[in-house]
């Protein structure tokens, strides 16, 4: 089994539900407040670990109670935490999440997530990784560090999975270090200028990625499923209809599940060109759908047996 190394954010999520967003100057009574471990990086690491991968988290938290809770959440899921730094000069990252009518609005304070720099990430790659392992990252840590870390991982022979979330325009020089790109519709629009809504716009976005040499690409489309863009072809991955209660971390569960499946394939001898990405994406789609049926971030990530049972019901 190849190892999944996730470099990314750890946030404590503070989440509340309301019927609508308050307007300026208004105080609104909400309900259902709770805290739970989150952060795109940590959510992806928890999903990969719960779904069977040997997983290590590389990141940073403060020397505070939220940091303790995030580390124990990762450990509880089976992810390695020895590369999660405790920093004295910044608090643990937090995310304020407002849930309104099935949608999330999130405001982040990255805190310790923005303190890690390339030398620290490279040192962890030297300690933890071997060629063929997977390197998974997003955009909630320092962007320059993240882009450089992608190149450092790629240079070491790791298979890089990039989830550019929250999205910003990505410099062209980053793309050669990306082996697999996975992003949602809005992230696709921010990066390519095209919102993938139908066959024509999906083809336009696919042409943009092909021009940059990024292949394969998975674009997730919410309740419409996802599409795999690979070697000039577009393969739809059907959605798994469920009663969704909270979409927080559904995308992260998709990436973690996808990475765990690909790591298992590498462990079974697959070379990068021979990875069965479509098969892994179908599994990820099921895991992600299950995550939407529970409230919260890491607490909503399903176990491998829950995903197997769900897939068996759909077969
Ligand atoms: O993707 C969901 C995550 O985004 C939340 O857990 C929150 O922490 C933000 O990082």
């Amino acid at each position: 089994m190849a190892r999944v190394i996730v470099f990314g954010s750890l946030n404590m999520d503070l989440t509340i539900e309301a019927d609508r967003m308050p307007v300026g100057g208004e105080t609104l009574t909400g309900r259902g407040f709770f805290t739970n471990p989150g952060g795109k990086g940590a959510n992806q690491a928890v999903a990969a670990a719960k779904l069977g991968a040997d997983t290590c988290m590389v990141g940073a938290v403060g020397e505070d109670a939220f940091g303790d809770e995030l580390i124990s959440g990762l450990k509880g899921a089976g992810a390695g935490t020895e590369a999660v730094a405790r920093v004295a000069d910044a608090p643990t990252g937090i995310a304020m999440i407002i849930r309104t009518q099935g949608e999330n609005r999130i405001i982040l304070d990255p805190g310790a997530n923005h303190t890690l720099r390339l030398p620290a990430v490279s040192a962890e790659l030297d300690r933890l990784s071997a060629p063929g392992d997977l390197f998974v990252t997003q955009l909630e840590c320092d962007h320059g560090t993240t882009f450089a870390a992608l190149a450092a991982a790629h240079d070491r022979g790791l298979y890089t999975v990039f989830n550019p979330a929250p999205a910003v325009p990505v410099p062209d020089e980053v793309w050669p270090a990306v082996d697999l790109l996975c992003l949602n519709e809005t992230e696709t629009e921010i990066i390519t200028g095209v919102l993938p809504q139908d066959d024509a716009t999906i083809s336009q976005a696919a042409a943009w990625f092909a021009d940059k040499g990024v292949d394969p690409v998975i674009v997730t489309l919410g309740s419409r499923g996802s599409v795999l863009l690979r070697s000039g072809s577009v393969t739809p991955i059907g959605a798994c209809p469920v009663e969704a209660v909270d979409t927080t971390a559904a995308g992260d569960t998709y990436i973690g599940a996808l990475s765990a499946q690909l790591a298992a394939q590498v462990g079974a001898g697959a070379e990068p060109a021979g990875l069965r990405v479509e098969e892994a994406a179908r599994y990820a789609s099921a895991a992600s759908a299950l995550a939407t049926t529970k409230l919260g971030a890491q607490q909503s990530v399903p176990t491998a047996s829950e995903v197997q049972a769900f897939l068996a019901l759909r077969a």
Side-chain angles (χ1 to χ4, degrees):
M1 160 82 70
R3 178 171 269 183
V4 175
I5 296 165
V6 181
F7 166 51
S9 56
L10 302 94
N11 297 326
M12 183 54 70
D13 289 359
L14 316 179
T15 169
I16 191 165
E17 184 174 16
D19 293 330
R20 60 176 174 80
M21 291 297 288
V23 297
E26 182 185 21
T27 299
L28 201 62
T29 299
R31 59 191 166 270
F33 175 80
F34 63 94
T35 63
N36 80 124
K40 293 187 193 304
N43 296 345
Q44 293 174 16
V46 161
K50 279 181 89 170
L51 298 172
D54 172 7
T55 306
C56 288
M57 179 79 208
V58 179
V61 291
E63 292 179 342
D64 48 30
F66 283 165
D68 294 343
E69 210 179 319
L70 281 156
I71 288 176
S72 70
L74 282 160
K75 281 186 180 154
T81 58
E82 59 271 30
V84 178
R86 304 297 304 250
V87 298
D89 53 352
T92 296
I94 61 110
M96 310 283 300
I97 303 182
I98 302 182
R99 314 186 309 274
T100 49
Q101 296 165 8
E103 272 195 339
N104 295 318
R105 281 152 214 259
I106 303 182
I107 302 177
L108 291 178
D109 182 342
N113 292 309
H114 271 207
T115 62
L116 276 195
R117 292 293 177 267
L118 183 64
V121 181
S122 291
E124 296 301 352
L125 289 177
D126 289 338
R127 197 162 67 86
L128 299 170
S129 75
D133 285 344
L134 275 80
F135 178 79
V136 180
T137 195
Q138 327 74 32
L139 286 176
E140 282 187 347
C141 292
D142 176 72
H143 292 168
T145 302
T146 304
F147 296 148
L150 274 166
H154 194 259
D155 289 348
R156 284 168 172 75
L158 277 70
Y159 185 83
T160 60
V161 178
F162 183 32
N163 170 224
V168 293
V170 174
D172 278 352
E173 56 270 25
V174 173
W175 297 121
V178 176
D179 290 310
L180 168 62
L181 181 70
C182 187
L183 70 182
N184 70 20
E185 310 105 298
T186 51
E187 291 148 8
T188 302
E189 184 179 26
I190 290 166
I191 288 171
T192 68
V194 180
L195 179 64
Q197 288 173 302
D198 50 24
D199 290 352
T201 45
I202 288 170
S203 294
Q204 280 174 35
W208 191 96
F209 291 125
D211 184 55
K212 302 293 178 195
V214 194
D215 185 2
V217 178
I218 294 173
V219 180
T220 58
L221 303 166
S223 58
R224 290 179 293 139
S226 49
V227 284
L228 169 63
L229 314 176
R230 191 177 199 184
S231 309
S233 63
V234 178
T235 307
I237 313 286
C240 302
V242 288
E243 285 290 318
V245 297
D246 181 9
T247 58
T248 309
D252 300 329
T253 301
Y254 190 107
I255 309 265
L258 180 79
S259 303
Q261 289 286 300
L262 295 177
Q265 291 182 23
V266 173
E271 294 293 328
L275 286 171
R276 300 184 306 283
V277 181
E278 180 185 337
E279 180 184 308
R282 291 191 191 284
Y283 181 94
S285 204
S288 166
L290 281 177
T292 70
T293 63
K294 293 188 185 151
L295 287 178
Q298 287 166 33
Q299 65 187 30
S300 73
V301 175
T303 61
S305 50
E306 286 170 332
V307 179
Q308 287 309 340
F310 182 66
L311 285 169
L313 272 179
R314 288 173 49 81

